[in-house]
Amino acid sequence: MNDDTGMTSTRFVVHYDGPVLQAHEIDVKKLAPSLIALSDAFDAVQRRVAPGASLTLKARATQEGSFVIDLMMYLQLAEDLFNSPAVTAIINASTLGGVMIEGIKTIKTYAEHHGAEPEVRQADDDPTAMQITYPDGKTVIVGKAALKMFRDPDFVKNVKDFIEPTRTNGVNSVELESDDDKISVNEEEADEIFEYCHADDAEADTSVEKLHVQALDISFRKNGKWRITDGFRKHMVSIEDEAFLERIASNQESFRGRDEFDVLMRVQTTINDDGQMMKKYLAIEKVLNHESTPPPKQDSLF
């Protein structure tokens, strides 16, 4: 939508989904930081793509869904930009929204490849795009503006904060949709983004802590990671207790999904820009105690 003052606008929908949202309610403590981070991510796009403009993101009445929020983004061009037809033909709210979604898609694809460095070169038929080829042969064409956002530490940090609700129990996915495109990130994909996309984190301290955790998804492949929860957040961690893995492999110890463990966990601690302490679980160094989940009861046939 455009007007005669250099103001353009476009609509977005944010959709949070998961079992705790079936009543169409969400904890404000989860929602507010996520939406603020989304607004900050849009600001990062605006600074890169339209540095002479100002951007406003406003929430509108929710619609039916697990938890759905309508957003309107307004982009006001500076007078010198508004008076340039070449600029106004390129820079508008819809353009920024496209860069935003494509930037998140680029982050997601990179994380899906577990941080494998791709080959990046100029796209053959589009001077505004780059061709990204990953070691497994997957090739994507990405706009240069979106690639800049992928390399922008503020943007990556804000995207992580936006999808943070998926790492708490009960929220399975977050989706951002415009009139032209959409991007959805589920809990497993969010884990990969947090694991492999780093926004120039400050120097971190590492320690070993005794924790009680529950396994959500396991892998016995070499260098495979387990998805666990400590009851508050979900994490992807390595398993470095070779003795425990050997007991599982040799059937000396049985294992079920959702089993619980007392472990010695290697933990990385950083201080974010707001002065808050952030903890990231890296690896289970030793399993101290293993509590197997009892098998489900079967109804008697007699």
Side-chain angles (χ1 to χ4, degrees):
M1 183 186 302
N2 302 274
D3 64 18
D4 295 331
T5 67
M7 173 80 77
T8 62
S9 64
T10 191
R11 175 176 174 267
F12 291 89
V13 175
V14 180
H15 183 187
Y16 300 86
D17 195 13
V20 301
L21 305 173
Q22 295 308 306
H24 312 304
E25 296 178 349
I26 187 171
D27 188 339
V28 171
K29 291 181 179 179
K30 294 180 183 178
L31 176 64
S34 176
L35 291 181
I36 290 172
L38 178 63
S39 179
D40 289 344
F42 273 115
D43 285 342
V45 174
Q46 175 262 313
R47 287 194 298 271
R48 287 275 186 174
V49 179
S54 61
L55 182 147
T56 305
L57 194 66
K58 295 184 178 181
R60 297 175 18 160
T62 59
Q63 55 178 282
E64 279 300 310
S66 295
F67 196 85
V68 180
I69 299 173
D70 268 351
L71 299 173
M72 287 297 297
M73 183 178 74
Y74 299 91
L75 183 71
Q76 176 66 62
L77 293 180
E79 185 176 355
D80 57 338
L81 293 177
F82 174 54
N83 291 329
S84 170
V87 171
T88 54
I90 298 173
I91 301 175
N92 55 52
S94 181
T95 301
L96 262 66
V99 173
M100 173 76 172
I101 291 179
E102 190 177 20
I104 299 176
K105 286 183 177 181
T106 305
I107 290 173
K108 179 177 171 180
T109 302
Y110 178 81
E112 287 172 351
H113 288 82
H114 294 182
E117 288 301 322
E119 175 188 334
V120 181
R121 67 176 182 84
Q122 175 67 51
D124 292 332
D125 302 320
D126 186 351
T128 68
M130 302 296 288
Q131 176 177 302
I132 302 177
T133 303
Y134 287 91
D136 65 358
K138 181 180 178 67
T139 298
V140 293
I141 304 298
V142 176
K144 290 182 178 179
L147 188 59
K148 287 182 180 179
M149 300 320 304
F150 166 70
R151 293 169 172 166
D152 185 308
D154 288 339
F155 181 76
V156 174
K157 175 184 180 300
N158 289 319
V159 167
K160 285 183 173 183
D161 290 343
F162 169 55
I163 64 175
E164 174 71 25
T166 64
R167 308 189 80 212
T168 59
N169 293 328
V171 180
N172 294 341
S173 67
V174 176
E175 181 179 272
L176 177 65
E177 180 180 0
S178 70
D179 291 336
D180 303 316
D181 203 357
K182 66 180 179 181
I183 176 67
S184 179
V185 177
N186 63 33
E187 52 190 336
E188 290 83 6
E189 292 163 342
D191 286 338
E192 290 177 332
I193 289 173
F194 274 82
E195 177 68 22
Y196 296 106
C197 297
H198 304 289
D200 288 349
D201 293 332
E203 187 173 342
D205 293 326
T206 302
S207 61
V208 177
E209 299 181 13
K210 182 179 179 180
L211 300 172
H212 185 80
V213 300
Q214 182 182 44
L216 300 177
D217 190 22
I218 63 173
S219 171
F220 290 107
R221 295 177 300 174
K222 185 177 181 181
N223 299 323
K225 290 181 179 289
W226 289 18
R227 191 161 63 93
I228 63 157
T229 178
D230 58 3
F232 299 98
R233 292 186 177 181
K234 300 163 189 171
H235 305 262
M236 293 289 288
V237 299
S238 301
I239 307 296
E240 297 181 353
D241 188 338
E242 296 294 339
F244 171 74
L245 294 176
E246 178 59 32
R247 292 197 301 272
I248 295 291
S250 61
N251 295 320
Q252 299 177 38
E253 191 163 352
S254 61
F255 187 94
R256 294 180 184 274
R258 305 283 172 168
D259 279 5
E260 297 185 15
F261 302 86
D262 292 316
V263 302
L264 293 180
M265 181 78 71
R266 188 160 70 251
V267 180
Q268 184 183 75
T269 303
T270 58
I271 304 297
N272 67 14
D273 294 338
D274 298 323
Q276 298 174 320
M277 180 179 293
M278 308 294 292
K279 287 191 174 185
K280 177 182 178 182
Y281 296 168
L282 300 177
I284 293 175
E285 295 192 352
K286 185 173 181 60
V287 175
L288 303 175
N289 183 47
H290 173 200
E291 301 173 11
S292 293
T293 303
K297 294 181 179 180
Q298 296 184 349
D299 296 333
S300 173
L301 299 178
F302 304 99

